[in-house]
Amino acid sequence: MTIKLNADKQLLEKIDEFERLGGCVQFKVFDVENPNNSYQTHLAIAKQTLIEISKDSDNYFQKIAKELNTDREQYFKQSIDFSKLENSGTQIQLSDFLGPQFDTQTRKPFIKGVQRLYNSYFYYDTEEIEKNSVNLNEIAGQYKFNDSDGVTGAFCGAFLEPPHSVRIGTSIFEHGRYFLEFSNLFFSDLNNIEIYKWSVDCSNYFDAGKEWWGSHFWTIYNPIKNIYIGIVASTTD
C-alpha cells in the first residue's frame, strides 16, 4: 500500500480558504495505491494524517521562532502515540459523523442565528425568525456523545462553530450553503462515504479541545473520487 498527499488544486484551495475564514477543522486528502482491507487502510490514513499535521505544526513554530529570534523548543511540540491509535478505530454511521446539526433526511444543516437570534437554530434555508427555530437540544438528546466531543458534538458543529466564529457570510443561508458546497466537494455523495472515528488520546494535538470545545478525529473514504480524507479538530479560546 502506497499513500501520498492528493494534489487536487481545487481541494487544496478550499482547505486554505476555510482556514483563512476562521475554520478550526483541519483536512488532509490522500491517494492510496493498492489499499489493504478497509480497517487497515483507514488506520494508515489516520497515522499519516497525524504525521502531516505534526509537520505543519513544526513548520509553523519554526517560522515563529525564527521571526522572534527565539528557541523552537519553547513552543508547542506535537507528540503521537500510535499504540493508542491501533485498535481504536470504529466505523460509524453518517448521522453520528455529522451530528445533531444536520438533518440527514432533508440533507439540510441547522444553523445558529447570525443576525439576532444568536442562541437559536434554524434550517439554513428558512428565515431567521422565532417561529422557524428548531429545538436542537431535543435533537441532540438522541445522540450519545463522549466527553471529548465537547460542545461541538460532531463534524457539522465543529465545522460551523469555531470559538470565534467563521466568516462565511452574514446570514444563516450563506453559512448553510457554504457547508453544503464544501461537503459536496470533498464527500461527493454522503450516502456512499465510509467513515471511521479514532481515539483522541493518541496525540497531545487533541488536548486543547478536551477543555470544552471538542476534540475530533475521523477518516473518510470517498469512493466516487477515490480519495481518503483525514479530518482532525481541536481548539480552545
Side-chain angles (χ1 to χ4, degrees), residues 1-2 32-42 44 194 228:
M1 179 167 56
T2 303
V32 178
E33 294 181 8
N34 302 315
N36 206 325
N37 66 57
S38 177
Y39 186 88
Q40 290 301 320
T41 303
H42 277 270
E194 186 177 71
Y228 286 82

Side-chain angles (χ1 to χ4, degrees), residues 111-199:
I111 306 297
K112 195 173 186 179
V114 298
Q115 294 182 335
R116 50 190 177 276
L117 300 175
Y118 305 116
N119 294 316
S120 299
Y121 286 83
F122 309 85
Y123 279 104
Y124 86 103
D125 56 352
T126 60
E127 188 178 356
E128 189 184 325
I129 56 177
E130 188 64 40
K131 71 174 184 178
N132 291 335
S133 64
V134 175
N135 189 339
L136 195 69
N137 288 331
E138 183 178 321
I139 297 171
Q142 303 171 28
Y143 289 76
K144 292 182 179 180
F145 294 115
N146 299 320
D147 290 341
S148 60
D149 293 328
V151 299
T152 53
F155 177 71
C156 192
F159 186 98
L160 289 165
E161 296 186 24
H164 302 291
S165 75
V166 59
R167 302 180 297 278
I168 52 179
T170 59
S171 69
I172 58 174
F173 179 77
E174 289 174 290
H175 281 235
R177 181 178 61 185
Y178 188 89
F179 177 83
L180 291 173
E181 290 176 348
F182 193 102
S183 298
N184 184 62
L185 178 62
F186 283 82
F187 307 138
S188 300
D189 182 353
L190 289 171
N191 285 326
N192 288 323
I193 59 174
E194 186 177 71
I195 312 159
Y196 277 81
K197 184 174 184 176
W198 300 90
S199 169

